[in-house]
Amino acid sequence: MEDTFSRISFKKKTEAISEQIVGLINSRDLTRGDKLPSERYLSETMGVSRGALREALRALEMIGIIETKTGSGSFIKVNGPIEKTTDLSKMMERDDNPLNLIIVRKTIEPLSAKLAAKNAGESEILHLKDFYSGYDIPAGEKEINYDLDGDFHLYIAEMSQNKSLYDVMKVITDRMKSDNFWRFAKEKTTGLLHHLGPHIDEHEMLVNAIANHDEKEAEKAMKQHLRSVEKGLLQFF
């Protein structure tokens, strides 16, 4: 089965990798339950970097074509034929790494939290607490409302009373909501029930610091939260 993979020379290598795997499923060279060769073998055989390979595999996992099991490898989840989906093409068109969002967020959001603690009025603090209460997960639910998460961080920027900072954060939160890879990694790292505790605790620390007008603690809490998010994302990007 390993001999069926061939070297890739296309410009958009992530898309070419995905299409080759889909093609092998359609030709029945790969069927449900088959394990893909190691990343090292695939990257060397196809002539691509491991980064491009992993991005292609993540895209295929996101749309349900493969399943990656930690410590075991990647397995085919479907049998052919599979049409070239618009979802796959759209995901392969992206040209940025979600970690770049974290780089920018780590730069501006601690300042956002610090200014929010300094400038927020009581009505704004009450509204922020309402945002935090929205993180309560009903029994049986396992996923965070990621749109709410983005709105929470955007509102902190609004509380800073710095319009330029808010405008930058609006661009970032729009990306957080629309970027499929960002949402995929967040769901993998914090979307499962047993991972929600630290995520919610970090937000609680942040809300309390802002409510107490403690600028240093608000800044510290935001830095700690973003380090936690970054640590999770580094597993996938």
Side-chain angles (χ1 to χ4, degrees), residues 185-225:
K186 287 285 286 180
E187 287 164 7
K188 281 280 190 175
T189 56
T190 63
L192 298 177
L193 189 60
H194 63 280
H195 283 154
L196 290 180
H199 185 99
I200 294 174
D201 290 345
E202 289 161 3
H203 280 84
E204 182 178 17
M205 291 172 58
L206 182 58
V207 170
N208 288 339
I210 293 174
N212 292 330
H213 300 285
D214 190 328
E215 297 175 40
K216 289 185 178 180
E217 282 301 313
E219 184 178 30
K220 179 181 176 181
M222 183 65 84
K223 286 180 178 179
Q224 179 178 330
H225 173 58

Side-chain angles (χ1 to χ4, degrees), residues 43-225:
S43 63
E44 290 178 354
T45 303
M46 295 180 176
V48 299
S49 68
R50 289 200 184 186
L53 175 66
R54 287 169 184 165
E55 188 163 340
L57 294 179
R58 285 193 295 267
L60 292 173
E61 184 175 10
M62 287 171 64
I63 58 176
I65 292 177
I66 69 170
E67 178 181 14
T68 299
K69 300 178 181 178
T70 303
S72 299
S74 297
F75 298 82
I76 304 301
K77 285 186 66 177
V78 298
N79 286 321
I82 301 169
E83 295 182 2
K84 182 180 178 181
T85 67
T86 55
D87 285 342
L88 178 58
S89 297
K90 184 178 180 180
M91 281 187 276
M92 290 296 97
E93 286 173 1
R94 61 185 309 281
D95 58 1
D96 198 10
N97 188 316
L99 281 173
N100 288 337
L101 282 176
I102 284 293
I103 293 172
V104 178
R105 290 182 65 188
K106 285 171 65 178
T107 301
I108 70 168
E109 287 201 69
L111 174 61
S112 174
K114 180 179 179 179
L115 292 176
K118 177 182 178 180
N119 297 322
E122 291 308 307
S123 62
E124 293 172 311
I125 290 171
L126 287 174
H127 190 46
L128 182 66
K129 289 179 177 179
D130 285 340
F131 265 116
Y132 171 72
S133 66
Y135 283 100
D136 286 339
I137 309 294
E141 294 289 332
K142 292 188 177 183
E143 293 186 356
I144 288 177
N145 182 331
Y146 290 100
D147 288 342
L148 174 65
D149 187 52
D151 291 340
F152 173 84
H153 285 269
L154 181 61
Y155 187 65
I156 291 174
E158 184 177 345
M159 293 171 71
S160 75
Q161 297 183 22
N162 184 308
K163 181 64 165 57
S164 296
L165 193 155
Y166 173 84
D167 288 343
V168 173
M169 195 62 203
K170 181 66 167 62
V171 174
I172 292 172
T173 53
D174 285 346
R175 281 285 309 278
M176 289 164 61
K177 293 178 182 182
S178 64
D179 190 297
N180 287 319
F181 276 89
W182 172 271
R183 296 176 71 91
F184 170 71
K186 287 285 286 180
E187 287 164 7
K188 281 280 190 175
T189 56
T190 63
L192 298 177
L193 189 60
H194 63 280
H195 283 154
L196 290 180
H199 185 99
I200 294 174
D201 290 345
E202 289 161 3
H203 280 84
E204 182 178 17
M205 291 172 58
L206 182 58
V207 170
N208 288 339
I210 293 174
N212 292 330
H213 300 285
D214 190 328
E215 297 175 40
K216 289 185 178 180
E217 282 301 313
E219 184 178 30
K220 179 181 176 181
M222 183 65 84
K223 286 180 178 179
Q224 179 178 330
H225 173 58

